[in-house]
Amino acid sequence: MHDPLWPQGGQSQPVLAPTGDIQPLIAMGKKLQAEATKHGIHNVFDDGGYKELLLLTLLDLKKLGRTGDDAADSLGRQYEIKTVARVSSRGVRKTSLGITTEHTLTIENIERYRRVHLWIVAVFDQAAPESIYEIAPSRLETFFGEWERKIRDQISRGVEGSAPPHLNNPKIPLKFVINNGVCIWPLLAQDGVPRQQTLTE
């Protein structure tokens, strides 16, 4: 069958014509990437780089390596950063939110979670942070202990597989963090009155 894009003896003919002006978008992207590079984020539009840039800048933290803890402060204390999306990829606003962990959560992950100084949990409403919380690992021990028991049960039963014994991305309800953590941003409402928590996750 003859392919119209590949005329016999000739070159392929394009179907799409690049007519839109993307230079303003590229300029904005380059400016954002330049700022992100200062923080060690080399692909700001990949893997949550933009959100990470906002949090590092807001809280004056330094990005750590790709594996292990996410950030450290000027005193060397280390932090686990989790972001939660208010709006789904289909544009639907979610009313019940959960904090994801790891696709393959192992005992080593749990031990690392326990060692950090604080967890930082940021809820994003598309491009802007809606609220940011800090919570001590000790407050999350209920979850850590439950996950560890389940994984050790796998180990004791000799569950085999290509991956080490693990759980598949267990979640922490955002409501638990709201009730047991501290809201660190925003601190005040527009009228200057201490912000009251109105979220219902």
Side-chain angles (χ1 to χ4, degrees), residues 9 18 26 62 66 81 93 98 112 117 120 129 158 165 170-171 197:
I26 292 176
K62 179 181 178 181
R66 183 63 185 87
I81 296 176
R93 293 185 65 81
R112 180 172 61 79
H117 181 60
I120 299 168
K171 296 178 176 60
Q197 184 54 256

Side-chain angles (χ1 to χ4, degrees), residues 23-37 44-45:
Q23 291 306 315
L25 295 176
I26 292 176
M28 287 188 289
K30 286 184 174 181
K31 185 176 181 179
L32 187 60
Q33 181 59 63
E35 189 63 30
T37 300
V44 70
F45 298 108

Side-chain angles (χ1 to χ4, degrees), residues 1-15:
M1 182 176 179
H2 177 63
D3 186 345
L5 298 184
W6 291 88
Q8 294 180 351
Q11 298 294 320
S12 62
Q13 300 299 309
V15 174

Side-chain angles (χ1 to χ4, degrees), residues 136-185:
S138 59
R139 295 283 186 131
L140 299 170
E141 184 56 37
T142 298
F143 299 96
F144 299 160
E146 178 185 358
W147 300 340
E148 182 176 4
R149 284 191 294 273
K150 289 181 178 179
I151 296 173
R152 293 199 182 281
D153 180 60
Q154 291 181 23
I155 296 172
S156 66
R157 290 187 288 109
V159 176
E160 297 182 356
S162 57
H166 67 277
L167 300 179
N168 182 20
N169 197 15
K171 296 178 176 60
I172 300 171
L174 179 60
K175 183 177 181 181
F176 183 90
V177 174
I178 292 174
N179 292 335
N180 293 275
V182 177
C183 184
I184 61 174
W185 193 90

